Amino acid sequence: MHSWTDTLRFAFQPVVNLTTGAVAGLEILARPETGDILAEARRNPGLDGRLAVSAVRAAVRRETLLPLFVNVFAGTLADLGGLPSLHDAVREAGRLPWEVTVDVCPPYTHVPQQALLEAVAALRGQGFRICADGVGDGDVPLRLLSDLSPGLVKLDASLLARPAVVRSMRTLCDELGALLAVEGVETEGQCAAALSAGAQLAQGELFAPPARLPAADVYVPPRSPAEVAAPRSGPSVREFVRPAALLPATASAGQVRALLTGSPDVSGVLLVDTAGVPVRSVHRSRFLLSMSGRYGHALYADRPAAKLGDPPRTVGVDATAWEVLDVVAVGGRDRTSDDVAVVDEYERCVGVVRLADLVRALAETRVEEAAGLNPLTRLPGSDAITGEVDRRIAAGRAFALSWLDVDHFKQVNDGAGFAAGDELIRAVGRALQQAATDGARVGHIGGDDFLVLADPDGLDRLAASVLDAPWSAGGRPVTLSLATVLCTPGSVADHRQAAACLAPLKKAAKALHGASWVLGRAGMPGHETRRGSQPTPMPSSASASASVPSSAPASASASASASASASASAGCGMAVESGAQGV
């Protein structure tokens, strides 16, 4: 009598790290030759549990060192209260539970949520990592997704057509401490969309199709300069994590040598205790050099490999790339090429990062940042600010976007000279940088125009620091104009709409006399004049016009500005001409 195992085979599909281009793990996929065993497993929790165990054993037969992703239906976990047989199979195979990620798959409808959460907690307690699979194409409720607190969320590639949704999911993942992956990626366009939306991992036919043998090489499209830009705090270490080669702390030098010689891509081995905490780090070159000496093999082969290792260098999963470099900088120069172990909140190893990956990414980031800096002030341009605006919108954060410039700057240049004008611009830029604390960002978008992105609470102090200062160029007094739009969650869809709301406010500020500040709220009519006064009306007589020829154009300009402000504000819900006068 034939068993279902007689016609069942397994295929392996790589999960790719989009930052490093390395394979982060292998998803094990059941491939029956006949019948639909997956549909049967969905109805039969016992069968689904046995499939998961068979998947692990199939991977072990392929002798892969990569982390594994095993699919289990949510209903199976709820019905069985976890998978004790999976834990036993992993241990028997000589692998560690935290090298295995359980992909919790839909459907979730009619699955007892409390039973599912208890089963996931049991798996996490055993050391397994948890992934929420099929998000966006399945039926997982957002509240349940938050309660599951997965370490990885997999989105269907169809959501890439809705980048705002993917960006929002990345924000949620950041809050949960999870990575974001996209599965089903088939084209380079989809890969680029996944990167721009913030995905860190991906899998699909583009990189490598499912195969009976684990893929040794994958195709990853080259990244464009815009895709390598990173926040100023530095990219997260999560983006650079590679699978770690782990052996028990009691492993012999012979066992380490066999692993290294059989896996030329492995740069080092971490020896871990029974809890998965790194205790020693074995560097490939130094270890093999010791073993290849005249009496090396005879001296060390049967002795503990720990004697040829060094204390491990570790960082937490929430560290930035710059923090990793700080760790590397401590110690002897002979260890600068050592892998750095990345550990979770329990100090268990989740992977390693290589110095070369960090240096390459940080160098690309700095080159991209330098290309976008204004040569006069060394401040970033508008792209850096608008990108941060979109991130705050996606995160549902309130913010204030301000536009500051010098009044009548052309006259300043014409009267005092371009050198004095340049020095004034640099001085304004320095003042804005000094005032921009608590996460505020300053950009110089050209000429005398600056953008400032800040939290609403810090507006008064920031405005006072630049508007109350006595400005001059070549001995001539100068005033500044500031326009601010307050954006609450949901009031603007993206940076373009925020900029459209800001434009009429700038015109209203320029129409005022002296240092001025106009503040409006996105989606609401009117504005508040916090600084500045209305210009004095000009006499209507022809003689008065003739005696002060320069005033007429100025008055006409102010009138035109007010008219243009009212017109331009229509799309943002601001009737600027009816703004209330503030203090």
Side-chain angles (χ1 to χ4, degrees), residues 271-325:
L271 305 179
V272 297
D273 63 15
T274 55
V277 177
V279 294
R280 301 294 282 179
S281 173
V282 179
H283 185 268
R284 180 187 188 91
S285 298
R286 293 198 300 275
F287 174 84
L288 293 179
L289 185 62
S290 299
M291 290 289 289
S292 61
R294 187 172 182 181
Y295 302 108
H297 190 272
L299 286 173
Y300 300 116
D302 296 326
R303 300 182 67 185
K307 293 185 176 296
L308 294 176
D310 299 289
R313 292 173 165 177
T314 62
V315 296
V317 291
D318 296 321
T320 67
W322 293 109
E323 291 172 315
V324 178
L325 291 185

Side-chain angles (χ1 to χ4, degrees), residues 412 415-417 420-421 423-424 470-478:
V412 172
E423 182 53 40
L424 173 64
W471 297 101
S472 64
R476 299 165 180 261
V478 173

Side-chain angles (χ1 to χ4, degrees), residues 9-69:
R9 300 292 182 267
F10 289 93
F12 303 90
Q13 186 169 46
V15 178
V16 176
N17 184 316
L18 293 175
T19 299
T20 64
V23 178
L26 295 171
E27 182 172 355
I28 314 169
L29 305 168
R31 289 291 187 263
E33 294 183 0
T34 59
D36 189 355
I37 195 170
L38 293 180
E40 186 178 348
R42 186 179 302 171
R43 299 187 296 268
N44 186 339
L47 174 60
D48 192 32
R50 294 195 296 274
L51 272 177
V53 169
S54 297
V56 170
R57 290 173 176 165
V60 171
R61 287 196 295 270
R62 299 301 183 189
E63 298 182 350
T64 175
L65 294 173
L66 290 168
L68 305 175
F69 292 79

Side-chain angles (χ1 to χ4, degrees), residues 2 30 114 263 274 286 293 322 328 330 351 378 415 420 455 542 548:
H2 289 288
Q114 187 57 39
S263 306
T274 55
R286 293 198 300 275
W322 293 109
V328 172
V330 176
R378 308 304 295 169
D455 291 331
V548 193

Side-chain angles (χ1 to χ4, degrees), residues 113-490:
Q113 293 192 7
Q114 187 57 39
L116 174 60
L117 293 174
E118 291 174 357
V120 167
L123 285 170
R124 189 178 281 116
Q126 293 171 343
F128 290 104
R129 306 195 182 282
I130 304 299
C131 166
D133 201 354
V135 176
D137 193 43
D139 58 347
V140 54
L142 282 178
R143 179 180 297 177
L144 177 60
L145 180 63
S146 178
D147 291 341
L148 283 173
S149 189
L152 177 67
V153 172
K154 287 186 177 180
L155 296 184
D156 188 82
S158 61
L159 285 182
L160 293 174
R162 300 171 176 84
V165 176
V166 183
R167 287 194 297 269
S168 299
M169 189 56 63
R170 169 62 192 269
T171 299
L172 175 60
C173 286
D174 289 343
E175 292 291 329
L176 296 175
L179 293 175
L180 180 64
V182 177
E183 51 187 352
V185 176
E186 297 181 350
T187 67
E188 293 193 9
Q190 286 182 320
C191 180
L195 270 169
S196 63
Q200 295 126 324
L201 303 173
Q203 63 187 111
E205 296 279 343
L206 173 68
F207 311 104
R212 295 290 175 85
L213 293 176
D217 298 303
V218 294
Y219 170 73
V220 180
R223 300 177 68 183
S224 67
E227 293 165 347
V228 302
R232 296 180 68 180
S233 58
S236 169
V237 72
R238 294 171 182 267
E239 300 179 23
F240 304 94
V241 174
R242 291 176 177 263
L246 305 178
L247 282 177
T250 56
S252 68
Q255 290 175 293
V256 173
R257 182 177 184 275
L259 189 156
L260 291 175
T261 55
S263 306
D265 292 335
V266 173
S267 56
V269 176
L270 289 173
L271 305 179
V272 297
D273 63 15
T274 55
V277 177
V279 294
R280 301 294 282 179
S281 173
V282 179
H283 185 268
R284 180 187 188 91
S285 298
R286 293 198 300 275
F287 174 84
L288 293 179
L289 185 62
S290 299
M291 290 289 289
S292 61
R294 187 172 182 181
Y295 302 108
H297 190 272
L299 286 173
Y300 300 116
D302 296 326
R303 300 182 67 185
K307 293 185 176 296
L308 294 176
D310 299 289
R313 292 173 165 177
T314 62
V315 296
V317 291
D318 296 321
T320 67
W322 293 109
E323 291 172 315
V324 178
L325 291 185
D326 290 339
V327 171
V328 172
V330 176
R333 295 182 179 180
D334 59 330
R335 296 198 62 192
T336 54
S337 62
D338 286 17
D339 293 341
V340 177
V342 182
V343 297
D344 62 14
E345 65 272 24
Y346 304 107
E347 299 300 320
R348 300 179 305 202
C349 180
V350 301
V352 295
V353 290
R354 295 179 179 176
L355 180 62
D357 290 337
L358 297 181
V359 172
R360 184 183 306 112
L362 292 174
E364 290 172 341
T365 299
R366 284 294 178 254
V367 169
E368 179 64 20
E369 287 180 353
L373 295 180
N374 186 285
L376 182 61
T377 59
R378 308 304 295 169
L379 289 173
S382 60
D383 286 348
I385 306 301
T386 56
E388 181 63 23
V389 167
D390 285 337
R391 282 189 285 272
R392 295 199 183 197
I393 292 172
R397 293 177 56 187
F399 62 90
L401 184 63
S402 299
W403 191 336
L404 180 139
D405 69 352
V406 179
D407 294 329
H408 312 296
F409 183 64
K410 185 178 185 303
Q411 296 177 19
V412 172
N413 269 347
D414 291 344
F418 71 87
D422 287 351
E423 182 53 40
L424 173 64
I425 294 301
R426 282 191 286 263
V428 172
R430 287 193 297 268
L432 286 172
Q433 279 186 294
Q434 292 170 1
T437 57
D438 301 325
R441 300 288 302 275
V442 179
H444 183 188
I445 59 177
D448 61 319
D449 292 309
F450 294 86
L451 280 180
V452 183
L453 175 64
D455 291 331
D457 293 342
L459 278 178
D460 289 325
R461 183 186 54 78
L462 189 148
S465 66
V466 291
L467 296 181
D468 289 346
W471 297 101
S472 64
R476 299 165 180 261
V478 173
T479 58
L480 307 180
S481 292
L482 178 67
T484 301
V485 59
L486 293 178
C487 299
T488 56

Side-chain angles (χ1 to χ4, degrees), residues 42-122:
R42 186 179 302 171
R43 299 187 296 268
N44 186 339
L47 174 60
D48 192 32
R50 294 195 296 274
L51 272 177
V53 169
S54 297
V56 170
R57 290 173 176 165
V60 171
R61 287 196 295 270
R62 299 301 183 189
E63 298 182 350
T64 175
L65 294 173
L66 290 168
L68 305 175
F69 292 79
V70 179
N71 295 300
V72 182
F73 289 112
T76 296
L77 295 178
D79 287 348
L80 300 183
L83 288 174
S85 57
L86 180 63
H87 183 267
D88 295 339
V90 169
R91 287 294 189 182
E92 290 169 4
R95 300 297 294 266
L96 298 170
W98 41 92
E99 296 180 90
V100 179
T101 298
V102 177
D103 283 11
V104 184
C105 303
Y108 291 86
T109 304
H110 307 307
V111 173
Q113 293 192 7
Q114 187 57 39
L116 174 60
L117 293 174
E118 291 174 357
V120 167

